[in-house]
Amino acid sequence: MKEDIQNNPAFAYISGRMDKMLIPTLLYFLSLKPAHGYELIQKINESGFSEVEADPATIYRNLRRIEEDGLVISQWETEHTGPARRAYQLSPEGHQALAYCVQLITEKVARMQAFIDQYQQGVKGV
């Protein structure tokens, strides 16, 4: 998988945007079940996982980007009353991207914990 990651621009896009946690959060919620954009906005804002507020423009821009990258698949749903809505679901590559996000987060948490440990031993212990 590591070789695939190095050659995939979608994964580079993800790693460059990990600090706000929006992409991992989108991928996570879509791994649970397919969803519409509005539903994702609500879930993200309620979860507290992302450091940015999930406004519609930001969510739909990122959904388009990760769909272009092959991480999600969408289709229009027209069988209900009201306007057609686009439903998003995670692709197999999207599941790989989510696992990659978890790996990056795990590594970052370990580095942050090492910093805290050093602080507590050094500066605070003085």
Side-chain angles (χ1 to χ4, degrees):
M1 181 170 140
K2 187 166 181 141
E3 186 176 303
D4 292 338
I5 290 170
Q6 292 173 343
N7 296 326
N8 188 328
F11 287 73
Y13 177 78
I14 289 168
S15 66
R17 284 154 183 80
M18 285 297 295
D19 60 333
K20 303 290 187 222
M21 289 291 294
L22 181 59
I23 299 295
T25 304
L26 277 171
L27 295 174
Y28 168 70
F29 283 123
L30 289 172
S31 75
L32 301 176
K33 70 180 192 88
H36 303 99
Y38 181 73
E39 180 182 357
L40 290 166
I41 292 166
Q42 289 180 313
K43 285 183 175 189
I44 290 170
N45 286 334
E46 291 169 0
S47 73
F49 296 151
S50 178
E51 293 183 18
V52 296
E53 184 176 336
D55 67 271
T58 301
I59 295 303
Y60 287 110
R61 180 175 59 250
N62 280 282
L63 283 169
R64 276 193 305 275
R65 171 63 195 253
I66 62 177
E67 183 173 23
E68 288 169 4
D69 289 338
L71 306 181
V72 300
I73 302 162
S74 72
Q75 62 184 30
W76 286 102
E77 291 183 346
T78 56
E79 59 270 358
H80 54 68
T81 59
R85 299 186 303 175
R86 190 178 288 265
Y88 297 88
Q89 65 182 24
L90 214 55
S91 70
E93 192 167 33
H95 285 280
Q96 288 181 336
L98 179 56
Y100 177 63
C101 290
V102 171
Q103 175 188 335
L104 292 175
I105 293 165
T106 302
E107 291 169 0
K108 185 171 189 165
V109 167
R111 286 190 306 274
M112 295 173 93
Q113 187 61 54
F115 175 84
I116 291 168
D117 293 346
Q118 288 290 316
Y119 167 77
Q120 289 175 337
Q121 290 173 4
V123 176
K124 195 173 180 183
V126 171

